[in-house]
Amino acid sequence: MKNKHRVDQLRKKIRSLLAKSGYQFSEEDKALLEAILIELEEILDDGKDLSPDQTLKTLSLLLRFLKFFGIDDITKLF
């Protein structure tokens, strides 16, 4: 349940980010955030805690976020 709670918090933050009128995203960035939001909602709609498959989906989403923020090389993050 702990992981599910974190995914839900992330989903809420993305919704909030998309709803704020002060941010001006390019169409590509906005589409990427909306796609991430849809995938997070699908994970949460399963009704179970995160399975190994869902964990891989979550990692995929993380990579999309990193790309959104212009981070292509994760080796420099650690």
Coordinates of all heavy atoms in Angstrom, one line a residue:
M1 N 0.8 -1.2 0.0 CA 0.0 0.0 0.0 C 0.8 1.3 0.0 O 0.4 2.3 -0.5 CB -0.9 0.0 1.2 CG -2.1 -0.9 1.1 SD -3.0 -0.5 -0.3 CE -4.6 -1.0 0.1
K2 N 2.0 1.2 0.6 CA 2.9 2.3 0.6 C 3.2 2.8 -0.8 O 3.2 4.0 -1.1 CB 4.2 2.0 1.4 CG 5.1 3.1 1.6 CD 6.3 2.6 2.4 CE 7.3 3.7 2.6 NZ 8.5 3.3 3.3
N3 N 3.6 1.9 -1.7 CA 3.9 2.3 -3.1 C 2.7 2.9 -3.8 O 2.8 3.8 -4.5 CB 4.4 1.1 -3.8 CG 5.8 0.6 -3.4 OD1 6.5 1.4 -2.9 ND2 6.0 -0.6 -3.6
K4 N 1.5 2.3 -3.5 CA 0.3 2.8 -4.2 C 0.0 4.2 -3.7 O -0.4 5.1 -4.5 CB -0.9 1.9 -3.8 CG -2.0 2.0 -4.7 CD -2.6 0.7 -5.0 CE -3.6 0.8 -6.0 NZ -3.3 0.1 -7.3
H5 N 0.2 4.5 -2.4 CA 0.0 5.8 -1.9 C 1.0 6.8 -2.6 O 0.6 7.9 -3.0 CB 0.3 5.8 -0.4 CG 0.1 7.2 0.2 ND1 -1.1 7.8 0.3 CD2 1.0 8.0 0.8 CE1 -0.9 9.0 0.9 NE2 0.4 9.1 1.2
R6 N 2.2 6.4 -2.8 CA 3.2 7.3 -3.5 C 2.8 7.6 -4.9 O 2.9 8.7 -5.4 CB 4.6 6.7 -3.4 CG 5.2 6.8 -2.0 CD 6.6 6.2 -2.0 NE 7.1 6.3 -0.7 CZ 8.2 5.7 -0.3 NH1 8.9 5.0 -1.2 NH2 8.7 5.8 0.9
V7 N 2.3 6.5 -5.6 CA 1.9 6.7 -7.0 C 0.7 7.7 -7.0 O 0.6 8.5 -7.9 CB 1.6 5.3 -7.6 CG1 0.9 5.5 -9.0 CG2 2.8 4.5 -7.8
D8 N -0.2 7.5 -6.1 CA -1.4 8.4 -6.0 C -1.0 9.9 -5.8 O -1.5 10.8 -6.4 CB -2.4 7.9 -4.9 CG -3.6 8.8 -4.9 OD1 -4.2 8.9 -6.0 OD2 -4.1 9.2 -3.9
Q9 N 0.0 10.1 -4.9 CA 0.5 11.4 -4.6 C 1.1 12.0 -5.9 O 0.9 13.2 -6.2 CB 1.6 11.4 -3.5 CG 1.0 11.2 -2.1 CD 2.1 11.2 -1.1 OE1 3.2 10.7 -1.3 NE2 1.7 11.7 0.1
L10 N 1.9 11.2 -6.6 CA 2.5 11.7 -7.9 C 1.5 12.0 -8.9 O 1.5 13.1 -9.6 CB 3.4 10.6 -8.4 CG 4.2 10.9 -9.7 CD1 5.1 12.1 -9.5 CD2 5.0 9.7 -10.1
R11 N 0.4 11.2 -9.0 CA -0.7 11.5 -9.9 C -1.3 12.8 -9.6 O -1.6 13.6 -10.5 CB -1.7 10.3 -9.8 CG -2.9 10.5 -10.7 CD -3.9 9.4 -10.6 NE -4.4 9.3 -9.2 CZ -5.4 9.9 -8.7 NH1 -6.1 10.7 -9.5 NH2 -5.8 9.8 -7.5
K12 N -1.6 13.1 -8.3 CA -2.2 14.3 -7.9 C -1.3 15.5 -8.2 O -1.8 16.6 -8.6 CB -2.5 14.3 -6.4 CG -3.7 13.4 -6.1 CD -3.9 13.3 -4.6 CE -5.0 12.3 -4.2 NZ -5.2 12.2 -2.8
K13 N 0.0 15.4 -8.0 CA 0.9 16.5 -8.3 C 0.9 16.8 -9.8 O 1.0 17.9 -10.2 CB 2.3 16.1 -7.8 CG 2.3 16.2 -6.3 CD 3.6 15.8 -5.7 CE 3.6 15.8 -4.2 NZ 4.8 15.4 -3.6
I14 N 0.9 15.7 -10.6 CA 0.9 16.0 -12.1 C -0.4 16.7 -12.5 O -0.4 17.6 -13.3 CB 1.1 14.6 -12.9 CG1 2.5 14.1 -12.6 CG2 0.8 14.8 -14.4 CD1 2.7 12.7 -13.2
R15 N -1.5 16.2 -12.0 CA -2.8 16.9 -12.3 C -2.7 18.4 -11.9 O -3.2 19.2 -12.7 CB -3.9 16.2 -11.5 CG -4.5 15.1 -12.2 CD -5.8 14.7 -11.5 NE -6.4 13.5 -12.1 CZ -7.2 12.7 -11.6 NH1 -7.6 12.9 -10.3 NH2 -7.7 11.7 -12.2
S16 N -2.2 18.6 -10.7 CA -2.1 20.0 -10.3 C -1.2 20.8 -11.2 O -1.5 22.0 -11.6 CB -1.5 20.0 -8.8 OG -1.2 21.3 -8.4
L17 N -0.1 20.2 -11.6 CA 0.9 20.9 -12.5 C 0.2 21.2 -13.8 O 0.3 22.3 -14.4 CB 2.1 20.0 -12.7 CG 3.2 20.6 -13.5 CD1 3.8 21.8 -12.7 CD2 4.3 19.6 -13.7
L18 N -0.6 20.3 -14.4 CA -1.3 20.5 -15.6 C -2.4 21.6 -15.5 O -2.7 22.3 -16.5 CB -1.8 19.2 -16.2 CG -0.8 18.2 -16.8 CD1 -1.5 16.9 -17.0 CD2 -0.2 18.8 -18.1
A19 N -3.0 21.7 -14.3 CA -4.1 22.6 -14.1 C -3.7 24.0 -13.9 O -4.4 24.9 -14.1 CB -5.0 22.1 -12.9
K20 N -2.4 24.2 -13.4 CA -2.0 25.5 -13.1 C -1.8 26.4 -14.4 O -1.2 25.9 -15.4 CB -0.6 25.5 -12.4 CG -0.8 25.0 -11.0 CD 0.5 25.1 -10.3 CE 0.4 24.7 -8.8 NZ 1.6 24.8 -8.1
S21 N -2.4 27.5 -14.4 CA -2.4 28.4 -15.6 C -1.0 29.1 -15.7 O -0.8 29.7 -16.8 CB -3.5 29.3 -15.6 OG -3.4 30.2 -14.4
G22 N -0.2 29.1 -14.7 CA 1.0 29.9 -14.7 C 2.1 29.2 -15.5 O 3.1 29.8 -15.9
Y23 N 1.9 27.9 -15.8 CA 2.9 27.1 -16.5 C 2.5 27.1 -18.0 O 1.4 26.8 -18.3 CB 3.0 25.7 -16.0 CG 3.7 25.6 -14.7 CD1 2.9 25.3 -13.5 CD2 5.0 25.7 -14.5 CE1 3.5 25.2 -12.3 CE2 5.6 25.6 -13.3 CZ 4.8 25.4 -12.2 OH 5.4 25.2 -10.9
Q24 N 3.5 27.3 -18.8 CA 3.3 27.3 -20.3 C 4.1 26.1 -20.8 O 5.4 26.2 -20.9 CB 3.7 28.6 -20.9 CG 2.8 29.7 -20.6 CD 1.4 29.6 -21.0 OE1 1.1 29.0 -22.1 NE2 0.4 30.0 -20.2
F25 N 3.5 25.0 -21.1 CA 4.2 23.9 -21.7 C 4.1 23.9 -23.2 O 3.1 24.3 -23.7 CB 3.6 22.6 -21.1 CG 3.7 22.4 -19.7 CD1 2.6 22.4 -18.8 CD2 5.0 22.1 -19.1 CE1 2.7 22.2 -17.5 CE2 5.1 22.0 -17.7 CZ 4.0 22.0 -16.9
S26 N 5.1 23.3 -23.8 CA 4.9 23.1 -25.3 C 3.9 22.0 -25.4 O 3.6 21.2 -24.5 CB 6.3 22.7 -25.9 OG 6.6 21.4 -25.4
E27 N 3.3 21.8 -26.6 CA 2.3 20.8 -26.8 C 3.0 19.4 -26.6 O 2.3 18.5 -26.1 CB 1.8 20.9 -28.3 CG 0.9 22.1 -28.5 CD -0.3 22.0 -27.6 OE1 -1.0 21.0 -27.4 OE2 -0.7 23.1 -27.0
E28 N 4.2 19.2 -26.9 CA 4.9 18.0 -26.7 C 5.1 17.6 -25.3 O 4.8 16.5 -24.8 CB 6.3 18.0 -27.4 CG 7.0 16.7 -27.3 CD 8.4 16.8 -28.0 OE1 8.4 17.2 -29.2 OE2 9.4 16.4 -27.4
D29 N 5.5 18.6 -24.5 CA 5.6 18.4 -23.0 C 4.3 18.2 -22.4 O 4.2 17.3 -21.5 CB 6.3 19.7 -22.4 CG 7.7 19.8 -22.7 OD1 8.3 18.8 -23.2 OD2 8.3 20.9 -22.4
K30 N 3.3 18.9 -22.8 CA 1.9 18.7 -22.2 C 1.4 17.3 -22.5 O 0.9 16.6 -21.7 CB 1.0 19.7 -22.7 CG -0.4 19.7 -22.0 CD -1.3 20.8 -22.5 CE -2.6 20.7 -21.8 NZ -3.6 21.7 -22.3
A31 N 1.6 16.8 -23.8 CA 1.2 15.5 -24.2 C 1.9 14.4 -23.4 O 1.3 13.4 -23.0 CB 1.4 15.3 -25.7
L32 N 3.2 14.7 -23.1 CA 4.0 13.7 -22.3 C 3.5 13.6 -20.9 O 3.3 12.5 -20.4 CB 5.5 14.1 -22.3 CG 6.4 13.2 -21.5 CD1 6.4 11.8 -22.0 CD2 7.8 13.8 -21.5
L33 N 3.2 14.7 -20.3 CA 2.7 14.7 -18.9 C 1.3 14.1 -18.9 O 1.0 13.3 -18.0 CB 2.6 16.2 -18.4 CG 3.9 16.8 -17.9 CD1 3.7 18.2 -17.5 CD2 4.5 16.0 -16.7
E34 N 0.5 14.3 -19.9 CA -0.9 13.7 -19.9 C -0.7 12.2 -20.1 O -1.5 11.4 -19.5 CB -1.7 14.3 -21.0 CG -2.1 15.7 -20.7 CD -2.8 16.5 -21.8 OE1 -2.7 16.0 -23.0 OE2 -3.4 17.5 -21.6
A35 N 0.2 11.7 -20.9 CA 0.4 10.3 -21.1 C 0.9 9.6 -19.8 O 0.5 8.5 -19.4 CB 1.4 10.0 -22.2
I36 N 1.8 10.3 -19.1 CA 2.3 9.8 -17.8 C 1.1 9.7 -16.8 O 0.9 8.7 -16.1 CB 3.4 10.7 -17.3 CG1 4.6 10.6 -18.1 CG2 3.7 10.4 -15.8 CD1 5.7 11.6 -17.8
L37 N 0.2 10.7 -16.8 CA -0.9 10.8 -15.9 C -1.8 9.6 -16.2 O -2.3 8.9 -15.3 CB -1.7 12.1 -16.1 CG -2.9 12.3 -15.2 CD1 -2.5 12.2 -13.7 CD2 -3.5 13.6 -15.5
I38 N -2.1 9.3 -17.5 CA -3.0 8.2 -17.9 C -2.4 6.9 -17.4 O -3.1 6.0 -16.8 CB -3.2 8.2 -19.4 CG1 -4.1 9.3 -19.8 CG2 -3.8 6.8 -19.8 CD1 -4.1 9.6 -21.3
E39 N -1.1 6.7 -17.5 CA -0.4 5.5 -17.1 C -0.5 5.3 -15.6 O -0.7 4.2 -15.1 CB 1.0 5.4 -17.6 CG 1.1 5.1 -19.1 CD 2.5 4.8 -19.5 OE1 3.2 4.1 -18.8 OE2 2.8 5.2 -20.7
L40 N -0.3 6.4 -14.9 CA -0.4 6.4 -13.4 C -1.8 6.0 -13.0 O -2.0 5.2 -12.0 CB 0.0 7.7 -12.8 CG 1.5 8.0 -12.8 CD1 1.7 9.5 -12.3 CD2 2.2 7.1 -11.9
E41 N -2.8 6.5 -13.7 CA -4.2 6.2 -13.3 C -4.5 4.7 -13.6 O -5.2 4.1 -12.8 CB -5.2 7.1 -14.1 CG -5.1 8.5 -13.5 CD -5.9 9.5 -14.3 OE1 -6.3 9.2 -15.4 OE2 -6.1 10.7 -13.8
E42 N -3.9 4.2 -14.7 CA -4.1 2.8 -14.9 C -3.5 1.9 -13.9 O -4.1 0.9 -13.5 CB -3.5 2.4 -16.3 CG -4.3 2.9 -17.5 CD -3.6 2.7 -18.8 OE1 -2.5 2.0 -18.8 OE2 -4.2 3.1 -19.8
I43 N -2.3 2.3 -13.4 CA -1.7 1.6 -12.3 C -2.6 1.6 -11.0 O -2.8 0.6 -10.4 CB -0.3 2.1 -12.0 CG1 0.7 1.8 -13.1 CG2 0.2 1.6 -10.6 CD1 2.0 2.6 -13.0
L44 N -3.1 2.7 -10.7 CA -4.0 2.9 -9.5 C -5.3 2.2 -9.7 O -5.9 1.7 -8.7 CB -4.2 4.4 -9.2 CG -2.9 5.1 -8.7 CD1 -3.2 6.6 -8.6 CD2 -2.5 4.5 -7.3
D45 N -5.8 2.1 -10.9 CA -7.1 1.4 -11.1 C -7.1 -0.1 -10.9 O -8.1 -0.7 -10.8 CB -7.7 1.8 -12.5 CG -8.2 3.2 -12.6 OD1 -8.4 3.8 -11.5 OD2 -8.4 3.7 -13.7
D46 N -5.9 -0.7 -10.9 CA -5.8 -2.1 -10.7 C -6.3 -2.6 -9.4 O -6.8 -3.7 -9.2 CB -4.3 -2.5 -10.8 CG -4.0 -3.2 -12.1 OD1 -4.9 -3.4 -12.9 OD2 -2.8 -3.5 -12.4
G47 N -6.3 -1.7 -8.3 CA -6.8 -2.1 -7.0 C -5.9 -2.9 -6.2 O -6.3 -3.3 -5.1
K48 N -4.7 -3.2 -6.7 CA -3.8 -4.0 -5.9 C -2.5 -3.2 -5.7 O -2.3 -2.2 -6.3 CB -3.3 -5.3 -6.7 CG -4.5 -6.2 -7.0 CD -4.0 -7.4 -7.8 CE -4.3 -7.1 -9.3 NZ -3.8 -8.1 -10.2
D49 N -1.7 -3.7 -4.7 CA -0.4 -3.0 -4.6 C 0.5 -3.3 -5.8 O 0.1 -4.2 -6.6 CB 0.3 -3.5 -3.3 CG 1.3 -2.5 -2.8 OD1 1.3 -1.4 -3.2 OD2 2.1 -2.9 -1.9
L50 N 1.5 -2.6 -6.0 CA 2.3 -2.7 -7.2 C 3.0 -4.1 -7.3 O 3.7 -4.5 -6.5 CB 3.4 -1.6 -7.2 CG 2.9 -0.2 -7.2 CD1 4.1 0.8 -7.2 CD2 2.1 0.1 -8.4
S51 N 2.7 -4.7 -8.4 CA 3.3 -6.0 -8.8 C 4.6 -5.7 -9.5 O 4.9 -4.6 -9.8 CB 2.4 -6.8 -9.7 OG 2.3 -6.1 -11.0
P52 N 5.4 -6.7 -9.8 CA 6.7 -6.5 -10.5 C 6.4 -5.9 -11.9 O 7.2 -5.0 -12.3 CB 7.3 -7.9 -10.7 CG 6.7 -8.7 -9.5 CD 5.3 -8.1 -9.3
D53 N 5.4 -6.2 -12.6 CA 5.1 -5.6 -13.8 C 4.7 -4.1 -13.7 O 5.2 -3.3 -14.5 CB 3.9 -6.3 -14.5 CG 4.2 -7.6 -15.1 OD1 5.4 -7.9 -15.3 OD2 3.3 -8.4 -15.3
Q54 N 4.0 -3.8 -12.6 CA 3.7 -2.4 -12.4 C 4.9 -1.6 -12.0 O 5.0 -0.4 -12.3 CB 2.6 -2.3 -11.3 CG 1.2 -2.8 -11.8 CD 0.2 -2.9 -10.7 OE1 0.6 -3.3 -9.6 NE2 -1.0 -2.6 -11.0
T55 N 5.8 -2.3 -11.3 CA 7.1 -1.6 -10.9 C 7.9 -1.2 -12.1 O 8.4 -0.1 -12.2 CB 7.9 -2.5 -10.0 OG1 7.1 -2.9 -8.8 CG2 9.2 -1.9 -9.5
L56 N 7.9 -2.1 -13.1 CA 8.6 -1.8 -14.4 C 7.9 -0.6 -15.1 O 8.5 0.2 -15.7 CB 8.6 -3.0 -15.3 CG 9.6 -4.1 -14.8 CD1 9.5 -5.3 -15.8 CD2 11.0 -3.6 -14.8
K57 N 6.6 -0.6 -15.1 CA 5.8 0.5 -15.6 C 6.2 1.8 -14.9 O 6.3 2.9 -15.6 CB 4.3 0.3 -15.5 CG 3.8 -0.7 -16.6 CD 2.2 -0.7 -16.4 CE 1.6 -1.7 -17.4 NZ 0.2 -1.7 -17.3
T58 N 6.3 1.7 -13.6 CA 6.7 2.9 -12.8 C 8.1 3.4 -13.2 O 8.3 4.6 -13.3 CB 6.6 2.6 -11.3 OG1 5.2 2.1 -11.0 CG2 6.8 3.8 -10.5
L59 N 9.0 2.5 -13.4 CA 10.3 2.9 -13.8 C 10.3 3.5 -15.2 O 11.0 4.5 -15.4 CB 11.3 1.6 -13.8 CG 11.6 1.1 -12.4 CD1 12.4 -0.2 -12.5 CD2 12.4 2.1 -11.6
S60 N 9.5 3.0 -16.0 CA 9.3 3.6 -17.4 C 8.8 5.0 -17.2 O 9.3 5.9 -17.9 CB 8.4 2.7 -18.2 OG 8.1 3.4 -19.4
L61 N 7.9 5.2 -16.3 CA 7.3 6.6 -16.1 C 8.4 7.5 -15.6 O 8.5 8.7 -16.0 CB 6.2 6.5 -15.2 CG 4.9 5.9 -15.7 CD1 3.9 5.8 -14.6 CD2 4.3 6.8 -16.8
L62 N 9.2 7.0 -14.7 CA 10.3 7.7 -14.1 C 11.3 8.2 -15.2 O 11.7 9.4 -15.3 CB 11.1 6.9 -13.1 CG 12.3 7.6 -12.5 CD1 12.0 8.9 -11.8 CD2 13.1 6.7 -11.6
L63 N 11.6 7.3 -16.2 CA 12.5 7.7 -17.3 C 11.8 8.8 -18.1 O 12.5 9.7 -18.6 CB 12.8 6.4 -18.1 CG 13.7 5.4 -17.4 CD1 13.9 4.2 -18.2 CD2 15.1 6.1 -17.1
R64 N 10.5 8.7 -18.3 CA 9.8 9.7 -19.1 C 9.9 11.1 -18.4 O 10.1 12.1 -19.0 CB 8.3 9.4 -19.3 CG 8.1 8.3 -20.3 CD 6.7 8.1 -20.5 NE 6.4 7.2 -21.5 CZ 5.2 6.9 -21.9 NH1 4.1 7.5 -21.4 NH2 5.0 6.0 -22.9
F65 N 9.8 11.1 -17.0 CA 9.9 12.3 -16.3 C 11.3 12.9 -16.4 O 11.5 14.1 -16.6 CB 9.7 12.1 -14.8 CG 8.3 12.2 -14.3 CD1 7.6 11.2 -13.8 CD2 7.6 13.4 -14.5 CE1 6.3 11.3 -13.3 CE2 6.3 13.6 -14.1 CZ 5.6 12.6 -13.5
L66 N 12.3 12.0 -16.3 CA 13.7 12.5 -16.5 C 13.9 13.1 -17.9 O 14.5 14.2 -18.0 CB 14.7 11.3 -16.3 CG 14.7 10.8 -14.8 CD1 15.6 9.6 -14.8 CD2 15.2 11.9 -13.9
K67 N 13.3 12.5 -18.9 CA 13.4 13.0 -20.2 C 12.6 14.4 -20.3 O 13.1 15.3 -20.9 CB 12.7 12.1 -21.2 CG 12.8 12.5 -22.7 CD 12.2 11.6 -23.6 CE 12.3 12.2 -25.0 NZ 11.6 11.4 -26.0
F68 N 11.5 14.5 -19.7 CA 10.7 15.7 -19.6 C 11.6 16.9 -19.1 O 11.6 18.0 -19.6 CB 9.5 15.5 -18.8 CG 8.7 16.8 -18.6 CD1 7.9 17.3 -19.6 CD2 8.8 17.5 -17.4 CE1 7.1 18.4 -19.5 CE2 8.0 18.7 -17.3 CZ 7.2 19.1 -18.3
F69 N 12.4 16.6 -18.0 CA 13.2 17.6 -17.4 C 14.6 17.7 -18.1 O 15.5 18.4 -17.6 CB 13.4 17.3 -15.9 CG 12.1 17.6 -15.2 CD1 11.4 16.5 -14.6 CD2 11.6 18.9 -15.0 CE1 10.2 16.8 -13.9 CE2 10.4 19.1 -14.3 CZ 9.7 18.1 -13.8
G70 N 14.8 17.0 -19.2 CA 16.0 17.1 -20.0 C 17.2 16.3 -19.5 O 18.3 16.6 -19.8
I71 N 16.9 15.3 -18.7 CA 18.0 14.5 -18.2 C 18.0 13.2 -19.0 O 17.1 12.3 -18.9 CB 17.7 14.1 -16.7 CG1 17.7 15.4 -15.9 CG2 18.8 13.2 -16.1 CD1 17.2 15.3 -14.5
D72 N 19.0 13.1 -19.8 CA 19.2 11.9 -20.7 C 20.2 10.9 -20.1 O 20.1 9.7 -20.4 CB 19.6 12.3 -22.1 CG 18.5 13.1 -22.8 OD1 17.4 12.7 -22.6 OD2 18.9 14.0 -23.5
D73 N 21.1 11.4 -19.3 CA 22.1 10.5 -18.7 C 21.9 10.4 -17.2 O 22.3 11.4 -16.5 CB 23.5 11.0 -19.0 CG 24.6 10.2 -18.5 OD1 24.4 9.0 -18.1 OD2 25.8 10.6 -18.6
I74 N 21.4 9.3 -16.7 CA 21.1 9.2 -15.3 C 22.3 8.9 -14.4 O 22.3 9.0 -13.2 CB 20.0 8.1 -15.0 CG1 20.4 6.8 -15.4 CG2 18.7 8.5 -15.6 CD1 19.5 5.7 -14.9
T75 N 23.4 8.5 -15.1 CA 24.6 8.2 -14.3 C 25.2 9.4 -13.5 O 25.8 9.2 -12.5 CB 25.8 7.7 -15.2 OG1 26.1 8.6 -16.2 CG2 25.3 6.4 -15.9
K76 N 24.9 10.6 -13.9 CA 25.3 11.8 -13.2 C 24.4 12.2 -12.1 O 24.8 13.1 -11.3 CB 25.4 12.9 -14.2 CG 26.5 12.7 -15.3 CD 26.5 13.8 -16.3 CE 27.5 13.5 -17.4 NZ 27.5 14.4 -18.4
L77 N 23.3 11.5 -11.9 CA 22.4 11.8 -10.8 C 22.8 11.1 -9.5 O 22.4 11.6 -8.4 CB 21.0 11.3 -11.2 CG 20.3 12.0 -12.3 CD1 19.0 11.4 -12.6 CD2 20.1 13.5 -12.0
F78 N 23.6 10.1 -9.6 CA 23.9 9.3 -8.4 C 25.4 9.5 -8.0 O 26.2 9.7 -8.7 CB 23.6 7.8 -8.5 CG 22.2 7.6 -8.9 CD1 21.8 7.4 -10.2 CD2 21.2 7.7 -7.9 CE1 20.5 7.2 -10.6 CE2 19.9 7.5 -8.3 CZ 19.5 7.2 -9.6

